[in-house]
Amino acid sequence: MTRDIIDINDFTILIEESTAEQQTVDKCGFDEPLIAVAFYGSGNVHLEVEYGKKHKQFDHTQSIALSFYADEKVQFIHTVSPEKPLKCIVIATALRNLAKLPNQEDELFSKMLSQLVNPSDHYVEGPVLYMTPEMQMIVDQIFSVQYEGKAKMMFFRSQMTVLLAHFFGQLSTMKEEGMKDEEREKLYLAKQILSDNLENPPSLTELSRQIGLNSFKLKKNFKELFGVPVFKYLQNERLTKAHDLLRNGDATIQEAAWHVGYDSLSSFSNAFAKKFGFRPSAIKR
């Protein structure tokens, strides 16, 4: 497990990454009441939240941004496995520090996360949203950064400010016009089916059939809910998976390309460079 902790003004940033050869459980809590936003990367780790006799679980964490209030009685439990590694960024501020935040940032919390500023329980869940492509790119870059020492910390600080700004920006423009809970669940299922079948994904027609939603609604509502078209989401997930395989030394460049469904090595390399800013050969050990 790797864990970096950074203090920026009155924010504390936790960047945590963990892989396991067999299923393991990682538990953590906080020393004082705080408000936080947790950004989950591509690992899709299982999360449980326990407080008193209450219990909440998240089976699909991949690419979500989860806002919450938690005090000392709350425990966060991640189940880490080879197929579901932990990649999590938590940006938090103590409740007592809200009034001290610079640039009147406390107003953002009070206006958009009012239920967290005035909590009614040990754990209160705020808005949960799927990250936009811009947010996802920042998270991917944070977990793939090759800098060390002070340069690494400087990079982290700059990206955290941008990531939190994107989160509040997304909250202010969120639209779920007329989307029923049943349709939203079908779209979550479509997203998971794509993530589980990167090498050989279903066609749009087949995906529509599997989730019980016509192709028009699938394309329209998928982009509305997740901020990116179906094909673009699939491409992002493929490239992120390939990056992980290369960074961990689990595959050659050709094997990584095949593993995520690319037959052409040049197409894979070009798409990889467009997403990450460098070619696969730059990280292959």
Side-chain angles (χ1 to χ4, degrees):
M1 173 183 290
T2 59
R3 181 177 288 160
D4 290 296
I5 300 176
I6 310 164
D7 290 316
I8 305 175
N9 296 323
D10 288 296
F11 287 105
T12 296
I13 315 299
L14 171 66
I15 303 171
E16 191 171 20
E17 184 173 14
S18 179
T19 57
E21 294 183 359
Q22 58 185 9
Q23 184 171 294
T24 60
V25 175
D26 175 62
K27 299 181 179 181
C28 67
F30 303 100
D31 296 331
E32 63 176 315
L34 52 76
I35 294 174
V37 184
F39 301 88
Y40 282 86
S42 60
N44 204 29
V45 68
H46 178 78
L47 167 66
E48 296 180 60
V49 184
E50 291 184 354
Y51 50 111
K53 295 182 179 180
K54 298 180 180 180
H55 176 90
K56 179 71 182 287
Q57 70 176 26
F58 297 84
D59 294 317
H60 306 296
T61 58
Q62 183 167 302
S63 300
I64 69 167
L66 165 66
S67 62
F68 61 88
Y69 162 85
D71 65 16
E72 306 92 324
K73 296 187 178 181
V74 180
Q75 191 169 53
F76 293 79
I77 305 168
H78 292 108
T79 302
V80 184
S81 66
E83 296 80 19
K84 296 185 177 183
L86 172 62
K87 292 184 177 182
C88 183
I89 300 166
V90 179
I91 303 178
T93 186
L95 205 57
R96 58 180 170 79
N97 288 335
L98 276 182
K100 302 178 184 178
L101 296 179
N103 304 316
Q104 298 180 321
E105 290 173 351
D106 60 311
E107 293 184 7
L108 283 173
F109 285 85
S110 298
K111 181 179 179 181
M112 299 186 184
L113 301 175
S114 58
Q115 68 272 55
L116 307 184
V117 175
N118 302 289
S120 57
D121 205 342
H122 298 295
Y123 172 79
V124 179
E125 185 179 304
V128 181
L129 55 86
Y130 275 91
M131 292 185 281
T132 63
E134 293 81 7
M135 296 165 71
Q136 185 66 63
M137 182 178 296
I138 293 170
V139 171
D140 291 343
Q141 289 174 344
I142 288 169
F143 284 111
S144 62
V145 65
Q146 299 180 33
Y147 305 138
E148 297 293 340
K150 293 181 179 179
K152 181 179 180 181
M153 291 299 106
M154 182 181 293
F155 176 79
F156 281 168
R157 288 190 182 95
S158 67
Q159 297 305 300
M160 295 309 159
T161 302
V162 177
L163 188 57
L164 198 58
H166 274 299
F167 174 76
F168 281 113
Q170 182 70 2
L171 279 187
S172 67
T173 58
M174 267 179 55
K175 295 181 180 179
E176 298 183 18
E177 301 172 354
M179 192 180 299
K180 299 177 181 178
D181 289 342
E182 182 181 355
E183 285 189 5
R184 192 175 295 109
E185 288 301 318
K186 290 180 178 180
L187 294 170
Y188 292 153
L189 176 59
K191 184 173 180 288
Q192 190 60 45
I193 290 172
L194 293 173
S195 298
D196 291 341
N197 296 276
L198 297 179
E199 184 176 353
N200 187 27
S203 66
L204 195 64
T205 301
E206 176 60 20
L207 184 60
S208 297
R209 188 194 65 77
Q210 289 185 33
I211 66 172
L213 198 66
N214 68 57
S215 298
F216 175 78
K217 282 192 173 182
L218 170 59
K219 290 188 290 185
K220 177 179 179 295
N221 292 347
F222 192 98
K223 184 176 181 180
E224 179 181 327
L225 184 60
F226 303 123
V228 63
V230 175
F231 175 76
K232 189 65 177 179
Y233 171 79
L234 177 62
Q235 182 186 52
N236 285 339
E237 288 301 298
R238 282 175 158 181
L239 294 172
T240 299
K241 176 64 176 180
H243 184 285
D244 290 345
L245 290 171
L246 295 173
R247 184 164 64 104
N248 296 330
D250 295 331
T252 65
I253 295 174
Q254 182 69 76
E255 289 169 344
W258 286 336
H259 189 81
V260 297
Y262 279 86
D263 294 325
S264 168
L265 193 57
S266 62
S267 295
F268 169 69
S269 182
N270 290 337
F272 192 98
K274 185 175 181 179
K275 178 173 175 61
F276 296 109
F278 50 84
R279 294 194 175 276
S281 56
I283 62 170
K284 185 67 186 87
R285 299 173 184 176

